[in-house]
DNA sequence: CGGTAAGCGAGACGGTACGTCGCGTCTTAAG
DNA sequence: CTTAAGACGCGACGTACCGTCTCGCTTACCG
C-alpha cells in the first residue's frame, strides 16, 4: 500500500519545531534569564521563524510556561514506610527542581509576573504545587495511621509553611542558613518532636 | 583639624532632581509595574533629563532599589504588653508595606533580580528583614519573661516561617485563603496554643 | 541557463516605504535644511519606523544622497538653432535646479561632505555634471558648425568656468551681483563678443 | 585726553585661555572636521571650561570663524614687475591657504553654513576675498600700464572667475584635471593670449 | 590694602537626536 | 496551508552633545 495519508499540505515539521522551540527556550532561560531572553534568540537557536513561535504562543510568558511545563517529570507519591523517609523524598524532589538555575528562573519569573498576570501563578499552583500538596496529605494520612503524628495536624498548613520557607530560602539564599537544616528544624517544631 | 573630605569640583548634583527622580520612580512603579516602567517616563514625570538619571544609576534596577530604599520609614519595636498584641502590630506593619501594589512590585523585582544580582536581595535582607527579625526576638524575649511562651522556642525560626508564609501568600495570592487567618493559625500551631 | 539572480528569502523591502522615506527626506531637506533635519522626523513624516530607514542607509548623508539622486529629472540637450538660445536653455535648467532651497542644500551638503566622503562628490559629478558637460560640448559643436564661435574654443573649460562661477555665486549670493548678468558677461568675454 | 574707556571691573579674560581655545579649535577642525568637532572636545583639549568658550562665542560657527580668522597671515600685494609673476604669487598664496585640510574644512563649513547663516559667508567675503580682489585690481592696473593686457578687461570679473574655478576644483577635486594648469589655461583664454 | 566683581576649571543640568534592539505582525517564496 | 526568512511600525534603550547653570576658587582693579 502506498501512503494513503494525504495530510494537508505541509505540516510535517510541526512536532520537530515544537520540540526545538521548547528546548531553545529552556536553554536560554537557564543561560540568561527571562528578561534577557529574546524571542528572536529562541527562534534563531531553534532554527525556526518567529511566526512559528507566535502561532503557538501569544507571549513569551506563555511560551516559557509551556517550556517549563514540558519538562516536568513524572510525579509519584513516595511511600517509604516512615514519615521522615517520605518527607525526605518529597523535599529532595522539590529541591532538585527548585534549587537550580532553571528552577530559580522559573520561580523568579512566576513571582515577577504574578501581580500583572495572576493566571500564570495559577498555572504553577495548579500544575505543580497542588499535586504535591495532595501527595503531602496522603503521606500525612499514612503517618497518622501509623500514629507518627497527631490526628489534628493540618497537612495543608504544614505543606504551605514548608513551601513558604523554601521560597524564602530561595530568595535570600546567601543570607540564611542551609535549607535542609531549616526545613528539618521547622518540621520537628511543627510535629512537636525534639530535634534529633 | 578641618574635615579631610573635600567637596568635588564642578556643580554638585541637585538634591531636588534626586528627590523628583525617586518620587517619579516610586509612583510609576506602583502604577504600571517594573517592566512597563520606562526611564523616559520617569525622566519626564520628574521633569528631568534622561542623562541626569543615568548619571546616578547604571540601570533601572539600581534606580528602583534606591527609590524603594529611600522611602523606608522609621521602625519601632512594638510593646503592647502582650505577645499577641505585639505580634498583631508587627504583622500589620509588615502587611501595610508588603500587600500594596508598590510592595508587591518591590518583592517581585527583588526576587527576579536575586539570582543575577544577589546583593540586591542582600540589601533588602539587611535593611528591611534584619531589623524586624531582631524586633521579633525582643518581643519573644518579653513574652518568655511573661511566661506566655516556652523558653526554648527559637524566635528566628518562627520569624522566618512567618516571612516565608507571607511571601508564599504574596505569590499565590488568589489561590490561598486570606492571609491573616493563615498567619494566625500558623502562629497558634507554632506556639502550641489552640486556635482561639 | 536560468537566471543566476535569486530573490533573497524573507519579506522583500517595501517599495512604498522606500518612496515615502525619500519623499519625506526631500521635503524636510528643503524645509529645514540638512543639519536641522532629524531621522526621527523623517521616519515620522514617512509613517515609517526608524530601523526601516537605518536598514537602507547607514547615515543621513547616504539617505539624502539617494533622495536627491531619486528626483533627478530627465535631461535633454537643447537645440534652439542658435548658440545663445541653447545657452539660455542650459543656464535656466541649471538655475532652476540649483538656486532653490533644495538645490542650495544639495550643493552645501555635497561640499561639506566632499572632503570626508569624496565619492559623494564623485556621484554628483558623474550623474549630474558630466551629462551637462557633454550637452554643452554638443551645443558648442553645433555653434562651431554655424560659425558662431571659434573652432579652437574648449567647451569643457568654458563649462567648468560657468559651473565655477555659479558655485561662487551660490556661496556668496548676497555679496555679488545678480547671477544672470554675471554669467552673460563671462560668456561674452570668453566668446570674444562685445557685451550686448 | 586719555582713553575714556574704563576697563570693566572684575578679572579680565585670560588671553592664555583664548589662545588655547583657538588652537584647539583649529586642530580639531583639521582633524575631524566641523560637524564631528564638539565644543566639549575643544574645551577639554584647551584645558578650559565650556562657559569660558560660550562667554566669548555664541556658537560653534562664531568660534571657528574667529579661529580661522586668527591664523590669517599678513597679506601683501605682490609686485614682481610682470603680470604673470604677480598672478603666480597670488595663486600660490591662495592655493597654500585653500588646498589644505584646514582650508577645505573652512570652505566646506562656510558653504554649508551660507544658506542658513549668510553673514558667515559675508565675513569670509569681506575679510578674505575682498582684499585679494582689490589686490588683483591693483595688479591688473599695473599690467595695463605696462600694456600687458587690454584696458577694458574687468579685473573683478576675472578674479571672480578664477575664484569660482578654484572653488569648483576644490569641490570636485578628484574629478578634474590638476588645478594649476586649469587656472593658467583659463587666464590665457581670458587674457586672449595663446597658451604658452 | 582689602573688597568686590568678574573670570576661571569643572561638571551637573534639562533637552534633543542619535543609532540599536526587541517586540509582535505581516509578507514573501518554497515546499 | 505551514514553514524559514526577514522586513515592518513601534517604542524604549543608553550615549553624545547641546547650550545653560551653579559651584568654589582665583585674580586684578579700585576705593
Amino acid at each position: 500500500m502506498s501512503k494513503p495519508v494525504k495530510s494537508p499540505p505541509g505540516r510535517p515539521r510541526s512536532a520537530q519545531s515544537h520540540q526545538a522551540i521548547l528546548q531553545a527556550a529552556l536553554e536560554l532561560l537557564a543561560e540568561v534569564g527571562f528578561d534577557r531572553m529574546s524571542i528572536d534568540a529562541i527562534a534563531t537557536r531553534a532554527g525556526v521563524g518567529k511566526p512559528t513561535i507566535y502561532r503557538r504562543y501569544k507571549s513569551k510568558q506563555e511560551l516559557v510556561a509551556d517550556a517549563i511545563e514540558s519538562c516536568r517529570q513524572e510525579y509519584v507519591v513516595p511511600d517509604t514506610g516512615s514519615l521522615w523517609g517520605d518527607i525526605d523524598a518529597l523535599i529532595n524532589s522539590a529541591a532538585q527542581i527548585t534549587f537550580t538555575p532553571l528552577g530559580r528562573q522559573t520561580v523568579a519569573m512566576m513571582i515577577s509576573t504574578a501581580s500583572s498576570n495572576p493566571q500564570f501563578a495559577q498555572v504553577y499552583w495548579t500544575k505543580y504545587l497542588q499535586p504535591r500538596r495532595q501527595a503531602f496529605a496522603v503521606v500525612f494520612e499514612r503517618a497518622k495511621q501509623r500514629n507518627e503524628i497527631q490526628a489534628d495536624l493540618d497537612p495543608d498548613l504544614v505543606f504551605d509553611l514548608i513551601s513558604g520557607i523554601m521560597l524564602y530560602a530561595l530568595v535570600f539564599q546567601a543570607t540564611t542558613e542551609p535549607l535542609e537544616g531549616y526545613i528539618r528544624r521547622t518540621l520537628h517544631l511543627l510535629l512537636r518532636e525534639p530535634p534529633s
Side-chain angles (χ1 to χ4, degrees), chain A residues 13-173:
Chain A
R13 276 207 163 175
S14 186
Q16 192 175 327
S17 294
H18 208 100
Q19 270 318 109
I21 289 167
L22 295 180
Q23 182 61 30
L26 285 173
E27 285 171 25
L28 284 166
L29 184 61
E31 283 173 26
V32 304
F34 184 80
D35 287 342
R36 280 198 276 275
M37 172 180 70
S38 77
I39 300 283
D40 277 294
I42 295 172
T44 301
R45 182 174 296 207
V48 139
K50 259 197 298 179
T52 302
I53 294 178
Y54 281 106
R55 204 170 294 115
R56 291 163 162 75
Y57 306 104
K58 288 178 109 172
S59 68
K60 194 157 69 161
Q61 277 153 15
E62 230 179 74
L63 158 58
V64 171
D66 191 43
I68 289 167
E69 184 53 34
S70 80
C71 69
R72 289 270 170 252
Q73 63 242 30
E74 197 62 23
Y75 181 68
V76 285
V77 180
D79 189 4
T80 61
S82 84
L83 173 64
W84 280 104
D86 290 355
I87 284 174
D88 279 344
L90 287 171
I91 291 176
N92 282 339
S93 159
Q96 271 174 23
I97 290 167
T98 312
F99 288 84
T100 60
L102 183 56
R104 286 181 190 286
Q105 288 294 335
T106 305
V107 176
M109 182 189 54
M110 193 184 47
I111 293 170
S112 68
T113 308
S115 56
S116 60
N117 184 7
Q119 78 248 35
F120 189 64
Q122 180 71 46
V123 165
Y124 190 83
W125 171 266
T126 307
K127 290 278 179 69
Y128 180 68
L129 284 175
Q130 199 85 291
R132 279 157 222 277
R133 215 185 192 209
Q134 284 163 3
F136 201 76
V138 170
V139 164
F140 251 50
E141 192 52 40
R142 292 205 200 98
K144 282 176 186 168
Q145 285 167 6
R146 285 192 297 259
N147 279 322
E148 289 179 297
I149 53 174
Q150 299 181 346
D152 63 349
L153 201 52
D154 180 357
D156 285 352
L157 181 57
V158 174
F159 178 83
D160 289 348
L161 277 171
I162 300 298
S163 299
I165 205 76
M166 286 184 74
L167 195 54
Y168 186 72
L170 184 68
V171 174
F172 301 107
Q173 44 179 318

